[in-house]
Amino acid sequence: ENEFFFVTHFTENEISECYLIYTKFKSAISQNVETQKLLPVEKEQKETNNQNEIDQALIDFDASIDKSNMGANSILAISLANS
């Protein structure tokens, strides 16, 4: 239920955008603030209705082996919102 909170509010037009903002630690003395736009998913010039291509684009955007940058639940929620 909680993993779909933002998707539900987005699809019901209660929010127009959703960002993930977090601190990425490089070392004890160096941290960076990172921002990723989650919703709406930015469409590239090439549009597709192929769900496999959409899912692969989300996995590529995450750029981690275990989907830890965006989180597997977030990837699933965005994928479902675009299906």
Side-chain angles (χ1 to χ4, degrees), residues 4-11 15-20 36-42 58 70 74 77-79 81-82:
F4 297 108
F5 177 82
F6 293 107
V7 174
T8 301
H9 289 285
F10 178 76
T11 56
I15 59 173
S16 60
E17 296 178 332
C18 179
Y19 291 87
L20 174 64
Q36 291 183 350
K37 185 175 183 179
L38 300 178
L39 295 170
V41 175
E42 296 293 329
L58 288 168
M70 288 179 58
S74 297
I78 295 168
S79 175
N82 284 291

Side-chain angles (χ1 to χ4, degrees), residues 61-75:
F61 180 75
D62 178 76
S64 70
I65 295 171
D66 60 356
K67 300 179 186 78
S68 61
N69 289 332
M70 288 179 58
N73 287 338
S74 297
I75 291 173

Side-chain angles (χ1 to χ4, degrees), residues 15-66:
I15 59 173
S16 60
E17 296 178 332
C18 179
Y19 291 87
L20 174 64
I21 302 171
Y22 60 95
T23 304
K24 185 173 186 177
F25 290 89
K26 291 186 171 189
S27 69
I29 58 172
S30 176
Q31 301 88 31
N32 290 339
V33 175
E34 300 284 329
T35 303
Q36 291 183 350
K37 185 175 183 179
L38 300 178
L39 295 170
V41 175
E42 296 293 329
K43 294 185 178 181
E44 295 180 17
Q45 300 226 359
K46 176 183 134 183
E47 291 191 25
T48 182
N49 291 331
N50 183 331
Q51 191 64 39
N52 290 334
E53 288 182 22
I54 293 170
D55 292 343
Q56 189 59 51
L58 288 168
I59 292 168
D60 293 344
F61 180 75
D62 178 76
S64 70
I65 295 171
D66 60 356

